Amino acid sequence: MAIEKVRKYFRQYGVEHRILEFDVSSATVELAAEALSCEPCRIAKTLSFMVGETPILIVAAGDARIDNHKYKERFGTKAKMLSFDEAETVIGHGVGGVCPFAVNEGVTVYLDESLKRFETVFPACGSSNSAIELTMEELEQYSGFAAWVDVCKDWE
């Protein structure tokens, strides 16, 4: 199970005890915000795409949407999300639990500027009923991100 991969991954940092598991689904931004009793914008959703042959993840604020023009400017191609069936195989986590931690080799992680307005955010932890509260510095460290990007809209 992917949450166990994430738990093991976080063990190296001594923060595995901070993973929150819910009795309800947190598979969407709205459900996660409800489970956490927080604003949907503070959910750090992880979106999976293919750029040529390379799988990438973009972690963005819950109220942000991919801006196709900005995405194409940054990555040189049209935004093409992985399908429901592709996500688990390519990324290592199924839809609803996709996160930037303990991902398959070859997956590149990017953090979107929409997250920078928060002190802490809540990304998933590999399952459709989990999350962890992280500062931006912790998110940078634990995600192993390649770069900050500006590829979203509707959050300003």
Side-chain angles (χ1 to χ4, degrees):
M1 190 173 211
I3 190 168
E4 293 309 322
K5 274 186 6 187
V6 174
R7 194 179 316 280
K8 181 180 177 190
Y9 176 78
F10 277 139
R11 199 167 289 129
Q12 69 185 312
Y13 301 106
V15 296
E16 71 278 7
H17 65 281
R18 290 174 49 193
I19 295 174
L20 306 167
E21 289 188 82
F22 313 109
D23 293 331
V24 295
S25 175
S26 58
T28 66
V29 167
E30 292 75 21
L31 291 172
E34 198 174 300
L36 287 156
S37 298
C38 75
E39 297 172 280
C41 55
R42 288 191 53 220
I43 302 303
K45 62 184 176 185
T46 305
L47 306 168
S48 51
F49 300 89
M50 289 301 285
V51 175
E53 298 297 311
T54 305
I56 70 165
L57 295 176
I58 296 175
V59 185
D63 60 346
R65 294 185 318 126
I66 292 294
D67 180 309
N68 289 319
H69 178 73
K70 287 181 176 181
Y71 183 98
K72 189 167 186 176
E73 290 251 320
R74 174 63 175 84
F75 295 107
T77 188
K78 186 179 176 193
K80 181 188 179 295
M81 286 191 77
L82 293 177
S83 72
F84 184 90
D85 294 332
E86 293 171 316
E88 189 162 7
T89 305
V90 174
I91 303 301
H93 303 301
V95 172
V98 175
C99 65
F101 321 113
V103 295
N104 291 343
E105 197 169 316
V107 176
T108 304
V109 176
Y110 296 93
L111 304 178
D112 187 75
E113 295 283 331
S114 60
L115 296 167
K116 285 188 172 179
R117 62 194 149 132
F118 303 110
E119 237 178 83
T120 63
V121 291
F122 296 93
C125 288
S127 70
S128 61
N129 67 328
S130 65
I132 188 169
E133 185 174 15
L134 298 174
T135 64
M136 288 310 109
E137 294 78 22
E138 289 173 324
L139 183 59
E140 288 176 340
Q141 178 185 359
Y142 304 146
S143 69
F145 79 114
W148 282 94
V149 294
D150 179 13
V151 295
C152 288
K153 62 182 177 181
D154 296 342
W155 62 271
E156 293 97 347

